[in-house]
Amino acid sequence: LYSSIYVFLICDVIAKTFKLKNYQPIVSCVIIFIAIMAFEPASIVDFLNISGTFRQSVFFFFFILPVLIPMLYKITKRKRIDKS
């Protein structure tokens, strides 16, 4: 309940600051920003512990995804062509 009130207040303040008519388009952006901020480490020690995990995930993002994404695109493209 408290988090929903905080999100509403943040969105309302942003809407009033930029003179927007409605605060609702801002809600999803604020929630995403809060989620990103929640994953930040609290101290430098936590950051150094996380950096080991980060090195392992870099392999996935930079070597496996560039191969995986075109393969998935070709598979979905074939399915779309077959349905037409």
Side-chain angles (χ1 to χ4, degrees):
L1 181 66
Y2 288 119
S3 61
S4 62
I5 292 171
Y6 292 141
V7 169
F8 168 74
L9 290 175
I10 291 169
C11 293
D12 192 47
V13 168
I14 291 172
K16 288 181 181 177
T17 302
F18 294 106
K19 297 177 182 173
L20 301 173
K21 294 178 183 177
N22 199 352
Y23 71 91
Q24 292 173 346
I26 305 171
V27 173
S28 61
C29 297
V30 169
I31 290 173
I32 291 170
F33 180 73
I34 290 172
I36 290 171
M37 295 300 291
F39 287 112
E40 279 194 17
S43 66
I44 190 71
V45 176
D46 291 337
F47 176 74
L48 293 174
N49 290 337
I50 291 172
S51 65
T53 307
F54 178 72
R55 288 185 194 133
Q56 295 170 355
S57 63
V58 166
F59 175 77
F60 176 74
F61 285 110
F62 287 105
F63 295 110
I64 297 176
L65 277 181
V67 174
L68 187 65
I69 290 175
M71 289 172 44
L72 291 174
Y73 173 74
K74 287 181 182 180
I75 290 170
T76 56
K77 186 176 178 182
R78 286 183 196 158
K79 287 183 181 179
R80 280 189 251 152
I81 291 172
D82 292 339
K83 287 182 182 179
S84 299

